Amino acid sequence: MPKSRIRKKADYTPPPAAKQAASIKLTNRSWVAPVMLALFAIGLVWIVVFYVTDGTLPVKSLSNWNIVVGFGFIAAGFGVSTQWK
C-alpha cells in the first residue's frame, strides 16, 4: 500500500498593522456614586416620611402609591449603579 503524502502547513503570519491600536478613552464617572446614593436616600426618606406621617405627606393625593414612588427612586439608584466602574 502506498504511503500518503504529509502536507506541511504554512506558519501563521499576522497581517501588517497599518495603525497602532487606538487608545481607549475612559470617561470620568465621578458623578455616579453621589447620584446613586442620593437616589437611595431620597427613596428611603420618601417611604419613611410616608409611614411616620400616616400617609399625609409627602403627597397626600397619591395615598399608598407613595410607597411605589419611594421604591421608584431606589430602583433608579440601582439603575444608575450599573454605570459605576
Side-chain angles (χ1 to χ4, degrees):
M1 176 128 301
K3 241 182 169 179
S4 63
R5 283 198 217 168
I6 298 174
R7 288 186 234 153
K8 184 178 181 196
K9 293 184 178 180
D11 293 334
Y12 174 75
T13 55
K19 295 181 183 178
Q20 277 188 334
S23 64
I24 297 172
K25 183 179 180 184
L26 298 176
T27 59
N28 186 4
R29 296 189 189 247
S30 61
W31 59 272
V32 173
V35 170
M36 174 185 65
L37 294 175
L39 287 171
F40 287 156
I42 291 169
L44 180 64
V45 168
W46 192 288
I47 293 170
V48 168
V49 167
F50 173 72
Y51 276 116
V52 169
T53 62
D54 293 327
T56 58
L57 288 176
V59 181
K60 187 174 182 174
S61 64
L62 288 178
S63 65
N64 286 337
W65 283 98
N66 279 303
I67 298 170
V68 175
V69 171
F71 278 114
F73 278 114
I74 294 171
F78 279 114
V80 170
S81 72
T82 62
Q83 299 297 315
W84 195 6
K85 289 187 179 186

